[in-house]
Amino acid sequence: MTLSASDVADLAKLDLRLMRAEDLKGRDPGFDPGNFDAGIAVCPKSTADVVAIVACCAAKGISIVPHGGRTGLAGGAESSPGQLVVMMDKMNVIREIDAASCLAVVDAGVTLSQLEEEVGKHGLTVGIDLAARGSCTIGGMVATNAGGSEAFRNGVMRQRILGLEVVMPDGSVMSDLKRVIKANEGYDIKHLFIGSEGTLGIVTGVVLKLEAATGARKTILAAAPDASSALSFFQRLHHAYGTKLLTAEIMWRDYFQNTLKALNFERRFGNLVGEVLVIFEFDNIEDEDALLEILSQSLEAEEISDALLAKNEQERIDIWAVREETFLIDKMFPGGCWFDISIPLNKLDAFVRESSARLHALDPKLGIYVMGHLGDGNLHYSIAKDTPVNHRYTEISAALYQGLSEIGGSFSAEHGIGVEKREALAKFGDPAKLALMGAIKNAIDPQNIMNPGKLMCRQSAERDLV
Ligand SMILES: Cc1cc2nc3c(=O)[nH]c(=O)nc-3n(C[C@H](O)[C@H](O)[C@H](O)COP(=O)(O)OP(=O)(O)OC[C@H]3O[C@@H](n4cnc5c(N)ncnc54)[C@H](O)[C@@H]3O)c2cc1C
C-alpha cells in the first residue's frame, strides 16, 4: 500500500525535495532494481533535516529506508510501497579535516572518493578502499561495516570510526562525535550502529581515523600452484614489507581466465598460469632489486610459478581491472548466485577445494568463480552456468556454507545481511546472539520503522518484538 495523500502532504511540508515515482523514474536505482519501489523519497541536507523527517515518520508510523550510494550488494536499500526512502547523498559536507590528529569529521553522504581526494591534499588517506569508491557513502559504509582490500592492514570500517552522530527512530540525536581512540565511558553504543544496515537509526555524521598517505605504488600479478602456496608467498612478503604491503588479493583460475577474456586482456596477462593468481601492491618501494630477490626466492620455493611487476601506471590499472570488474562474470553467465564468505587463512585452501567438490556433486556443470581478499580470507563466489541457477540458491548456499561456522568462518563477510542473507543468519546465527539482536532492535526502535525486514527474518525479529 502506498503512503496516504495526507502522509505525502505532511512530508511535502518539510520542504526537503520530495521526489515522487515520476521523479525517481529516470534515476539509477543502484545495485538493486527494487531500491526505488517505495516510489517516494526525500533528500535531507543536514542533521536537522533528518530529525524533521524521522520525527514526522515516527508520528505517522511511516517506515524509513536510508539510502547512501545504493552500491550495497545484499539488498539492504530495497524499499516497498508505503515506505519512505531517505537519500543521504545530498548531505555531503566534509565538516573538518584535522590533519594534526589524523582524523576527518564528515556528513554521512560524503562519498569515499570525495573524502579520499580531500584528505590526500593533507598527505593522508582514509585507509579503506572499495571498488565502489566513486558512489558509496561514508554513512553506507558505516551501516554495512564495509571492508575492502586494505582491511587486513587497517581493519574494517568498525576499526576506522572514532565517533558517530545518529538520528534515532524517535527523532532524537545521539551525538557521540569523539575524536580520540581511548574513551572508556561504559557501553560503546556506536558499535551497535556500525553494521546495523539502517535498522536502528540514520547515521548523519562520522569521525574517521586517517592514515599517512601512501606514495607511488608497485604492483605484482603472480601465478601460484594453489592457495596454500599463495599464502606462503603472502606471508613472505608481509614479513619483508610489513605495513608497506598495501593489498593482497586472490583470484582462482576460472574467474581470472573468464575475466581476462571479457576484458580482451588474454594477450596481456594470459601467460600467467596457475590454480590461483594473486595481486600484491606495495607502498613506495625504492629498492626494486630487493623485491626481485624475494620474487626469485618465492619462485625457487615454488610458492609462485611466474610473476609480473607492473611496468607503468596503465599496467597497474589493467591488473586491478581484472580483479575489480567482478560483474563481468555475471554478464557472461546471468542468473548466478553470489556469496561473500570469510575463511580462516589456514583453512582457505581446503575449504575452497572441499566446497567445490560439494558443489560439483550437486551439479557437475556449475561454474565456480572465486576471487577476494587473500589478506583477510574474504572470498567472493559467483556460482553460475550457461542457464540460470539462482532458483537453486538454497541448495547451492547449503553446499557452500557447510562446515564454515565450525571452522570459525562467516557466511557474511563484508557486504552485510540485507535481505539476501536473512535466512542464513537465522540458520547459522547463535540463538542467544539472535535473541539479543531482536531485543536491541525492539528497545531502540519499538515501532519498527527503521528499515524493517532487513537483517533479521520477520519471524526472528517478531519473536523478540513484544
Ligand atoms: C563494484 C562494487 C565493489 C564493492 N566492493 C566492496 C568491498 O570491497 N568491500 C565492501 O565491504 N563492500 C563492497 N561493495 C559493497 C558496497 O559498496 C558497500 O556495502 C558500501 O558500504 C555501501 O555503501 P552505500 O553508500 O552505497 O550504501 P547503500 O547501498 O545505499 O546502503 C547500504 C545499507 O546501508 C544503509 N544505509 C545507507 N546509508 C545509511 C545511513 N546514512 N544511515 C543508516 N543506514 C544507512 C541502507 O539502508 C542499506 O541497508 C562493493 C559494491 C560494488 C558495487
Side-chain angles (χ1 to χ4, degrees):
M1 204 174 58
T2 52
L3 291 179
S4 70
S6 91
D7 287 343
V8 175
D10 285 347
L11 289 168
K13 275 188 217 146
L14 297 174
D15 200 17
L16 294 171
R17 196 162 165 233
L18 186 76
M19 299 177 82
R20 295 162 209 257
E22 56 274 22
D23 308 310
L24 293 168
K25 216 174 263 169
R27 290 178 70 112
D28 177 9
F31 191 75
D32 277 297
N35 284 346
F36 286 156
D37 282 0
I40 185 160
V42 279
C43 309
K45 286 190 170 167
S46 66
T47 304
D49 290 350
V50 178
V51 167
I53 294 163
V54 176
C56 175
C57 289
K60 294 179 144 285
I62 299 170
S63 68
I64 292 171
V65 182
H67 276 192
R70 290 182 288 279
T71 66
L73 300 175
E78 281 179 20
S79 66
S80 48
Q83 298 190 307
L84 176 71
V85 169
V86 178
M87 291 187 180
M88 295 299 291
D89 56 335
K90 295 285 176 292
M91 189 174 165
N92 58 7
V93 174
I94 296 177
R95 299 183 192 177
E96 187 185 340
I97 294 171
D98 177 351
S101 315
C102 281
L103 62 84
V105 188
V106 302
D107 279 355
V110 166
T111 65
L112 178 57
S113 292
Q114 181 190 348
L115 182 58
E116 193 62 62
E117 194 182 325
E118 214 44 46
V119 301
K121 294 176 189 164
H122 298 263
L124 296 165
T125 174
V126 183
I128 190 161
D129 191 32
L130 334 173
R133 56 187 80 80
S135 308
C136 67
T137 62
I138 300 300
M141 291 171 66
V142 172
T144 56
N145 188 23
S149 57
E150 297 183 7
F152 80 96
R153 181 176 183 263
N154 296 329
V156 296
M157 207 57 185
R158 191 178 295 286
Q159 281 92 44
R160 311 296 314 153
I161 295 170
L162 297 174
L164 275 189
E165 176 188 85
V166 183
V167 175
M168 306 295 292
D170 62 359
S172 61
V173 179
M174 186 197 82
S175 184
D176 188 21
L177 292 168
K178 289 275 186 311
R179 293 161 171 248
V180 287
I181 294 173
K182 293 180 178 171
N184 284 341
E185 299 179 359
Y187 302 142
D188 199 346
I189 298 296
K190 69 175 180 290
H191 284 290
L192 282 180
F193 298 93
I194 303 169
S196 67
E197 301 184 43
T199 61
L200 298 179
I202 301 186
V203 176
T204 48
V206 186
V207 185
L208 285 154
K209 265 195 300 184
L210 303 171
E211 301 294 325
T214 51
R217 292 181 170 223
K218 285 232 180 313
T219 306
I220 293 173
L221 173 64
D226 52 44
S228 292
S229 313
L231 262 177
S232 304
F233 181 42
F234 165 54
Q235 276 144 8
R236 188 188 288 271
L237 293 171
H238 207 194
H239 285 146
Y241 289 103
T243 54
K244 277 192 169 286
L245 180 60
L246 299 175
T247 56
E249 300 286 298
I250 188 163
M251 301 166 279
W252 265 257
R253 182 172 38 215
D254 286 352
Y255 169 86
F256 179 69
Q257 287 179 348
N258 278 285
T259 306
L260 282 190
K261 200 163 145 195
L263 289 168
N264 212 5
F265 279 177
E266 284 159 305
R267 283 204 185 164
R268 309 277 312 281
F269 309 125
N271 57 331
L272 287 161
V273 181
E275 185 179 302
V276 301
L277 288 298
V278 284
I279 301 175
F280 291 100
E281 195 152 80
F282 306 87
D283 173 23
N284 223 1
I285 296 182
E286 274 156 24
D287 188 356
E288 200 170 297
D289 288 345
L291 177 59
L292 293 175
E293 174 56 29
I294 291 178
L295 287 183
S296 83
Q297 286 166 9
S298 302
L299 280 163
E300 214 164 289
E302 297 183 356
E303 291 163 352
I304 54 173
S305 55
D306 203 353
L308 178 156
L309 183 59
K311 56 182 174 303
N312 53 40
E313 181 60 11
Q314 189 55 50
E315 192 157 70
R316 188 183 90 79
I317 291 169
D318 291 346
I319 289 172
W320 275 105
V322 185
R323 166 62 187 83
E324 292 191 338
E325 293 287 344
T326 51
F327 299 108
L328 292 172
I329 292 285
D330 208 30
K331 284 195 183 135
M332 269 183 263
F333 308 105
C337 299
W338 282 82
F339 299 95
D340 163 42
I341 64 176
S342 271
I343 305 157
L345 289 183
N346 65 346
K347 303 281 194 310
L348 195 84
D349 199 345
F351 185 87
V352 174
R353 276 177 210 292
E354 286 161 19
S355 59
S356 298
R358 285 194 298 273
L359 288 161
H360 281 144
L362 207 61
D363 182 344
K365 290 198 171 143
L366 284 178
I368 304 169
Y369 307 98
V370 189
M371 46 80 198
H373 310 294
L374 176 64
D376 57 31
N378 172 197
L379 298 184
H380 303 300
Y381 275 69
S382 176
I383 299 174
K385 62 180 195 181
D386 42 12
T387 53
V389 296
N390 43 10
H391 59 287
R392 299 172 64 189
Y393 185 88
T394 306
E395 55 172 342
I396 289 175
S397 60
L400 179 64
Y401 294 155
Q402 191 183 315
L404 191 53
S405 300
E406 289 77 358
I407 59 171
S410 174
F411 63 90
S412 175
E414 62 176 5
H415 296 157
I417 302 290
V419 291
E420 299 263 313
K421 284 174 241 144
R422 289 174 306 183
E423 276 165 26
L425 178 63
K427 185 169 170 196
F428 298 109
D430 173 71
K433 186 174 152 187
L434 290 179
L436 275 172
M437 282 172 66
I440 288 166
K441 169 74 175 166
N442 191 27
I444 295 180
D445 181 20
Q447 281 196 93
N448 196 21
I449 61 165
M450 290 305 313
N451 214 1
K454 308 294 166 49
L455 246 173
M456 279 172 277
C457 279
R458 202 174 290 275
Q459 309 88 292
S460 37
E462 277 170 3
R463 194 184 54 208
D464 298 298
L465 289 171
V466 284

